[in-house]
Amino acid sequence: MTTNNGPYEAIVIGSGVAGICQIKHLADHGIKIMALEAHSDLGGTWFKNRYPGCRFDSESYTYGFKFSQELLDEWHWKEQFSPQPENLKYLNFVADKFNLRKYFRFNSRVQSMTWNEEDRLWSIVLDTGEEYQTRFVVTCLGPLSTKSVPNIKGMDDFGGESFHTYDWPDDSFELEGRKVGIVGTGATGIQIIPQIAKKVEQLTVFQRHPNWSIPLNNAPISETEMADIRNRFEEIFDRCKKSASGFVHLPERRKFAETTPEERRALWDELYARPGFALQLSNYSDTFFDPAANRELSDYVEGRIRKRVDDQEVADKLIPSNHGFGMRRLPLETRYFEAYNRDNVRLVDLQETPIERVTQNGIQTAIETHNLDLIIYATGFEAMLGGFNKIDINGVDGKTLRDKWQHETSTYLGTMTHGFPNLLMVAGPQSVSGSSNYPRAIETGVEWTTNLLVHALNGGYTRIEASEEGENLWIEEVTRMQEHMPFSKVQSWFTGYNPNAAEGVNQFRYNAYWGGAPKYAEFLQQAADEEYSQIGIE
Ligand code: NA7
């Protein structure tokens, strides 16, 4: 017997970029599907992150889905790096165009999932107690969807307003005349600070470690330019497909060691003026592997920062000393450094004067109290694993995924994990979603997952499970690739660091595949060509 609660052939969890893409692909195959979303509407990251300055730092035209020519023809990206409201509009446009809304149930937070071996079904229970049955589950939980909130003494005593950037109230939130403190200077803080500095009465930035950052160099896209982009979509996506990072930026062919300082300076001047990640992705590749070369590039970027900041003591604090350029996720900025030239902006270096507590009136550091009426926590995310850790996922013999991954993350191709049959992950840990242009990686993952599900359903199979051997081989590959990366020992979410993890949690992990998007796609293709030999299909 089937009811509105199932059994479904597949349930997708999440309605962000990945969830929408996955639902569309499964719907195209006529599979009996449904999607559960914790929030009140679709969009995932682009529904939740509403803070000022929130936008892509992927080129917009490489961010959209490529699965529909009509969609590519109809949508006009208005800026090279599109802002959040427009991105949310795009995702709604996609959902409406393909009539996908009917599959989504909003305000439906999954609390637990339990594998039933006898019926070969997953039972999904929401926090409301409602229960659904499904043969397959596809998680599209988002790699950066679980807030990392500090645990500072006195946080609850604060008399003003405070929130994490993920919970920014809405687009009309008033900032004028306020005394604002912001904690955190990662990609999010760096987007917000210059935007709100212009509006607030006073802005105090609490920085624990600075990050390297370079200009986004955003610009509008006119009708004529968009028409040209549409004509070049094939070439653009082809370029992304061939590049390790999934972006349009092609690497410089020459080696750092083969060039003169003048030649390097000329290239870097050109790349610094280009949009997006050019200085990172179109540089000499050995700049990131050879410490002396990396030092020279870091010195170059330091020089750029110093020229943009009036007070050199402030500039000293804004220049990272614990990692070289490109060794952490590189935030892209728009007049970030100039914000510190304003009279109403002050930088507090938490390495010199750590936060002691939050009081009713503000933040107290080792030497003074900063009076504030709003505190913004731009303190990052429990990257890659947060979405999974929030759900009780009970697999074969009642073993939980949380326990399985307690010390080490382990998957087969970043798509499945042994002991949890019929559970597929899109943009999961150990895929390339954390290490490359996100939607490009998603489309690769969604196509593979869809083909596997269609194969299982058409063949009348009811149980698929990654083998232990397949998983071990993949962990070896993931480990080898991460250890080969120049940043493998630097603490960042790329290497498993969560800035506010509970004590005892492993802060170093293999959470992403760093062998590049083309190589990852080859692994997926090979698995399909070998008829999924590392997956038990019954
Ligand atoms: P990030 O890049 O993880 O940055 C978080 C920032 O918050 C970083 O500067 C942290 O300093 C700081 N932080 C975190 N916890 C604390 C506490 N307790 N005290 C002081 N400072 C703290 O997150 P973002 O949201 O900026 O960016 C995440 C991704 O979203 C980004 O990579 C994009 O892909 C989109 P720390 O470095 O830990 O000293």
Side-chain angles (χ1 to χ4, degrees):
M1 187 187 84
T2 60
T3 67
N4 272 349
N5 291 15
Y8 290 88
E9 287 178 312
I11 286 186
V12 173
I13 309 179
S15 73
V17 179
I20 292 170
C21 188
Q22 184 63 75
I23 278 289
K24 164 76 172 94
H25 280 67
L26 295 175
D28 284 350
H29 286 277
I31 295 171
K32 181 171 161 54
I33 45 171
M34 200 256 286
L36 297 167
E37 165 60 57
H39 301 299
S40 59
D41 207 343
L42 58 80
T45 281
W46 301 110
F47 177 73
K48 278 298 288 172
N49 286 281
R50 288 162 185 252
Y51 60 82
C54 181
R55 59 176 67 245
F56 294 155
D57 38 27
S58 303
E59 283 69 14
S60 307
Y61 47 84
T62 72
Y63 198 100
F65 296 118
K66 74 171 169 53
F67 61 70
S68 156
Q69 188 58 47
E70 249 182 61
L71 182 60
L72 293 171
D73 290 342
E74 285 170 16
W75 184 259
H76 178 175
W77 291 108
K78 306 227 173 41
E79 294 181 52
Q80 297 284 342
F81 301 92
S82 178
Q84 176 270 335
E86 193 68 8
N87 308 341
L88 186 57
K89 215 189 271 177
Y90 171 75
L91 293 176
N92 277 283
F93 177 77
V94 175
D96 293 338
K97 177 173 173 58
F98 299 110
N99 197 15
L100 303 178
R101 263 183 185 278
K102 61 184 180 210
Y103 298 114
F104 290 100
R105 298 203 184 168
F106 300 111
N107 300 308
S108 298
R109 179 172 292 284
V110 175
Q111 192 165 51
S112 71
M113 285 167 48
T114 304
W115 172 246
N116 176 336
E117 190 69 70
E118 205 177 316
D119 299 332
R120 297 185 167 186
L121 291 173
W122 280 98
S123 155
I124 298 185
V125 178
L126 307 186
D127 58 2
T128 54
E130 213 175 329
E131 187 172 344
Y132 297 90
Q133 306 286 327
T134 179
R135 179 74 68 209
F136 296 100
V137 177
V138 187
T139 59
C140 297
L141 302 174
L144 296 159
S145 60
T146 304
K147 299 174 281 189
S148 176
V149 182
N151 183 14
I152 305 170
K153 197 168 135 199
M155 270 169 73
D156 291 340
D157 300 340
F158 184 54
E161 271 179 286
S162 64
F163 45 76
H164 188 277
T165 50
Y166 195 65
D167 295 325
W168 194 278
D170 70 32
D171 316 348
S172 61
F173 183 70
E174 288 288 333
L175 288 158
E176 278 74 11
R178 303 193 74 160
K179 290 187 174 60
V180 180
I182 181 164
V183 183
T185 49
T188 303
I190 285 176
Q191 284 190 329
I192 296 179
I193 288 163
Q195 287 294 315
I196 66 172
K198 300 180 277 198
K199 296 188 180 153
V200 303
E201 183 181 318
Q202 175 197 303
L203 178 62
T204 311
V205 178
F206 296 88
Q207 173 190 265
R208 197 158 61 180
H209 292 103
N211 280 294
W212 294 104
S213 187
I214 54 168
L216 176 68
N217 294 320
N218 189 21
I221 300 180
S222 67
E223 289 282 357
T224 322
E225 284 163 328
M226 194 62 222
D228 173 57
I229 289 169
R230 284 198 193 100
N231 287 331
R232 293 189 296 109
F233 262 133
E234 208 179 308
E235 173 210 325
I236 289 169
F237 286 129
D238 196 47
R239 236 163 116 155
C240 294
K241 197 172 168 186
K242 287 183 182 141
S243 102
S245 62
F247 285 91
V248 275
H249 307 278
L250 296 177
E252 167 66 34
R253 286 179 182 279
R254 288 172 301 169
K255 292 264 176 262
F256 174 95
E258 295 162 359
T259 56
T260 63
E262 292 70 31
E263 284 171 328
R264 297 198 280 268
R265 172 80 203 200
L267 177 69
W268 293 344
D269 281 349
E270 190 207 320
L271 296 179
Y272 195 83
R274 270 205 225 155
F277 289 110
L279 189 65
Q280 182 165 27
L281 300 176
S282 296
N283 215 316
Y284 315 102
S285 56
D286 52 339
T287 320
F288 301 99
F289 289 90
D290 169 5
N294 189 256
R295 180 72 265 161
E296 191 177 312
L297 176 61
S298 302
D299 289 346
Y300 169 83
V301 181
E302 173 176 340
R304 287 291 194 155
I305 296 171
R306 287 195 178 283
K307 274 204 194 117
R308 293 172 56 188
V309 178
D310 294 344
D311 180 340
Q312 290 307 295
E313 279 181 26
V314 173
D316 288 343
K317 297 187 204 310
L318 290 168
I319 292 160
S321 57
N322 65 346
H323 66 283
F325 180 84
M327 297 296 132
R328 294 181 101 191
R329 201 292 199 180
L330 178 69
L332 300 180
E333 47 85 23
T334 304
R335 299 191 61 76
Y336 170 66
F337 294 106
E338 286 77 5
Y340 293 97
N341 299 336
R342 299 177 63 94
D343 290 339
N344 66 335
V345 177
R346 179 166 167 207
L347 179 64
V348 174
D349 182 347
L350 298 181
Q351 291 180 79
E352 282 174 7
T353 56
I355 294 179
E356 289 197 333
R357 61 167 300 148
V358 176
T359 67
Q360 197 192 351
N361 298 322
I363 292 181
Q364 186 183 315
T365 65
I367 57 163
E368 65 186 307
T369 297
H370 300 266
N371 285 328
L372 308 166
D373 54 44
L374 170 65
I375 302 177
I376 301 163
Y377 293 103
T379 46
F381 296 88
E382 186 189 340
M384 307 310 298
L385 304 179
F388 293 91
N389 282 336
K390 275 198 298 203
I391 304 175
D392 294 323
I393 303 179
N394 308 297
V396 172
D397 295 332
K399 296 220 170 73
T400 69
L401 187 59
R402 218 179 271 131
D403 279 350
K404 177 173 177 180
W405 287 356
Q406 190 186 1
H407 301 295
E408 301 297 342
T409 312
S410 58
T411 72
Y412 169 62
L413 297 175
T415 60
M416 302 177 83
T417 187
H418 180 72
F420 297 82
N422 294 10
L423 174 61
L424 290 120
M425 303 176 285
V426 172
Q430 301 186 336
S431 69
V432 280
S433 288
S435 58
S436 68
N437 195 2
Y438 187 60
R440 303 278 52 81
I442 279 174
E443 275 188 279
T444 309
V446 162
E447 280 167 23
W448 190 84
T449 301
T450 307
N451 290 340
L452 174 57
L453 287 188
V454 168
H455 173 77
L457 289 165
N458 286 351
Y461 303 112
T462 52
R463 190 185 195 281
I464 60 175
E465 182 182 8
S467 73
E468 237 174 327
E469 187 200 10
E471 189 158 312
N472 289 337
L473 288 171
W474 187 242
I475 296 165
E476 268 176 39
E477 171 69 11
V478 167
T479 305
R480 198 168 41 242
M481 288 302 129
Q482 182 159 319
E483 293 196 338
H484 170 71
M485 294 309 280
F487 55 73
S488 64
K489 300 286 174 283
V490 178
Q491 212 173 38
S492 83
W493 71 259
F494 278 2
T495 52
Y497 165 68
N498 166 7
N500 299 292
E503 236 172 89
V505 169
N506 181 7
Q507 286 282 58
F508 182 83
R509 279 183 179 261
Y510 299 90
N511 276 351
Y513 179 60
W514 290 102
K519 200 164 170 201
Y520 179 72
E522 272 173 37
F523 274 108
L524 291 184
Q525 187 57 49
Q526 190 187 346
D529 291 348
E530 291 171 359
E531 295 190 0
Y532 310 107
S533 60
Q534 290 292 2
I535 302 175
I537 304 186
E538 315 168 349

